[in-house]
Amino acid sequence: MSLCGLGPCDCRVVPVDDGLQVEYWQQLFATDPAASLSRSLPVIASGGMHPDLRVTLWPLLLGVLPAGSSKSEQDTLRSQQRVLYTDLLQRLRSSQAKLEQEYAQQGGTETWFLTHKRILSDTFRTEPTSSFYNTECREARLAILERILVAYALTDPPTGYCQGMADLASAFLQVVWRDVPTDPLPTYDAVLSMPVGEANQSVLAEVEVFSLFQALMESRMRANFQITGEGMKAQYHELNRLLLQVDPKLHAHLARCAGDHVYSFRALLVLFRRELTHDDCCAFWEALWALERQLDRKLQLHCIIGVLYQNRKEIMRSRSSLEEMLRLFNDLPKTADAKSLIAGTRLVLNLERRKTRGS
């Protein structure tokens, strides 16, 4: 699906709280394709985007495709991505002994058998109540998710697969599959056997999901899933430093009652994927990515502190143990949404700027 370069050009100003709408994006692209993404970032950062735009703009926001690239350039890159994806899956046709040897030589921290077993187990349990999977296409859609996770583990053996990665990949699968026919869904043999120039929509969509998931992992999330836990420990350390900078009193209170911020583990690990509905999570992610592109820095820790600051009075008054802080974050599905999380992130950014200027 392409939404680029259609419609008249008047580039009217739209309310940012409505998010980026299809018509406005078309107008921006028609005026100046090379600058259309950068000009749309403030709108996306404030209100997300229309769901129909995600399949076009998420590859740009995540760097899968360069902003301002032409259709021919994007087609070339997508062909390369498909070759990479099919080459990875082709390795599954090797003997088990060869696959195990290659996986170990490339830095796998466990056997391929165990990695693949955990992928199969977690895939089967992914979002059991989601309407996306509770259809007659359930098995085929879970098989696509499995292939994507297998391909990622093969391209990054030191990370392999850890619990939580299925949640991230599933979000991309649901976004891309909005515009894909439900029947027939691609099979493993179909993905491998179809010539690059003849790939159908469902095969191309599967490759797109893999490319988006790989980009998210490499640019933002990979360290979260290090088997040593060092990536999460580093984030707790930085979270502690940032909280001390913006709110010393809240920092001191939490240091007494909640230690090293493990209450935020799940929200940090999968970027609020389990705290928000699918639609809210997508709106939050795209707004966050746009804000990060504007500021050229990662802001997931600001999001966590935003939640703390928005609940500051309650925390200071009645949250005096790790169990109570865990309960606060476990209750986020009832209290948080995309707009509140982005508002909290911006609030922390403003506090940080004030503290920096005052120091």
Side-chain angles (χ1 to χ4, degrees):
M1 178 180 178
S2 176
L3 297 169
C4 301
L6 302 175
C9 168
D10 61 18
C11 289
R12 57 192 172 80
V13 175
V14 297
V16 294
D17 286 344
D18 291 344
L20 183 66
Q21 300 301 309
V22 174
E23 180 185 0
Y24 188 54
W25 165 253
Q26 292 169 342
Q27 294 165 355
L28 287 174
F29 191 89
T31 304
D32 187 350
S36 55
L37 180 64
S38 62
R39 292 176 63 185
S40 68
L41 289 178
V43 185
I44 301 171
S46 294
M49 66 181 71
H50 191 283
D52 285 346
L53 287 171
R54 287 174 182 148
V55 73
T56 298
L57 294 184
W58 278 25
L60 301 177
L61 284 173
L62 286 172
V64 172
L65 300 172
S69 54
S70 66
K71 184 180 183 304
S72 62
E73 291 170 333
Q74 293 183 6
D75 288 345
T76 298
L77 287 169
R78 284 193 163 109
S79 293
Q80 294 170 354
Q81 291 160 3
R82 185 178 171 215
V83 169
L84 169 65
Y85 185 64
T86 54
D87 284 350
L88 290 166
L89 294 184
Q90 187 73 43
R91 290 172 57 188
L92 293 178
R93 290 182 168 175
S94 304
S95 68
Q96 184 70 20
K98 182 179 180 182
L99 195 53
E100 291 285 5
Q101 181 183 34
E102 291 177 346
Y103 193 65
Q105 288 174 343
Q106 293 168 7
T109 56
E110 63 181 0
T111 66
W112 171 249
F113 175 82
L114 288 176
T115 297
H116 196 190
K117 182 180 179 181
R118 285 191 293 103
I119 289 173
L120 289 170
S121 177
D122 269 17
T123 299
F124 181 76
R125 296 197 298 259
T126 299
E127 299 188 68
T129 62
S130 168
S131 60
F132 179 78
Y133 293 108
N134 287 330
T135 71
E136 67 278 5
C137 300
R138 172 179 170 77
E139 290 188 7
R141 288 176 171 177
L142 290 176
I144 295 168
L145 181 61
E146 178 206 337
R147 288 196 294 271
I148 289 162
L149 295 169
V150 162
Y152 182 79
L154 289 173
T155 199
D156 183 10
T159 303
Y161 176 80
C162 293
Q163 191 173 34
M165 290 166 63
D167 297 276
L168 301 176
S170 178
F172 292 116
L173 182 60
Q174 293 177 59
V175 164
V176 174
W177 236 258
R178 277 175 54 89
D179 302 310
V180 177
T182 57
D183 184 47
L185 291 174
T187 63
Y188 173 79
D189 288 335
V191 173
L192 292 181
S193 63
M194 194 170 294
V196 172
E198 300 176 15
N200 63 28
Q201 188 178 6
S202 59
V203 171
L204 294 175
E206 182 171 333
V207 177
E208 187 83 345
V209 175
F210 168 74
S211 299
L212 288 166
F213 174 62
Q214 182 185 31
L216 179 75
M217 288 294 294
E218 292 181 351
S219 65
R220 291 168 170 81
M221 308 298 288
R222 184 176 182 268
N224 291 7
F225 298 97
Q226 290 176 347
I227 195 168
T228 61
E230 291 304 312
M232 291 299 292
K233 290 177 185 176
Q235 290 206 73
Y236 292 148
H237 178 77
E238 182 60 19
L239 178 63
N240 195 58
R241 183 206 62 78
L242 182 58
L243 181 58
L244 176 61
Q245 178 187 1
V246 301
D247 195 330
K249 290 184 178 180
L250 181 58
H251 172 273
H253 175 79
L254 289 173
R256 288 192 299 271
C257 72
D260 56 4
H261 307 291
V262 293
Y263 55 83
S264 64
F265 174 81
R266 189 177 69 178
L268 270 177
L269 183 72
V270 291
L271 201 56
F272 293 90
R273 178 73 177 96
R274 296 184 184 178
E275 281 71 23
L276 301 173
T277 65
H278 171 71
D279 289 338
D280 248 344
C281 180
C282 290
F284 166 62
W285 280 3
E286 63 207 12
L288 181 65
W289 299 337
L291 189 57
E292 288 178 338
R293 282 187 73 108
Q294 284 184 287
L295 301 177
D296 193 26
R297 61 183 298 197
K298 299 297 186 290
L299 299 172
Q300 62 266 32
L301 300 180
H302 292 70
C303 301
I304 298 293
I305 295 178
V307 171
L308 297 175
Y309 204 80
Q310 288 171 326
N311 292 274
R312 188 180 191 280
K313 289 183 179 179
E314 179 186 351
I315 292 171
M316 297 293 287
R317 182 177 63 248
S318 60
R319 303 280 177 169
S320 56
S321 69
L322 175 59
E323 289 73 20
E324 288 168 343
M325 288 302 300
L326 285 168
R327 195 175 304 118
L328 173 70
F329 272 76
N330 288 337
D331 286 344
L332 284 179
K334 305 173 186 175
T335 61
D337 58 22
K339 287 189 176 181
S340 69
L341 289 177
I342 289 297
T345 302
R346 290 180 178 276
L347 178 63
V348 174
L349 278 168
N350 289 333
L351 288 170
E352 183 185 29
R353 291 188 187 109
R354 279 190 230 132
K355 295 287 185 177
T356 301
R357 284 196 300 264
S359 60

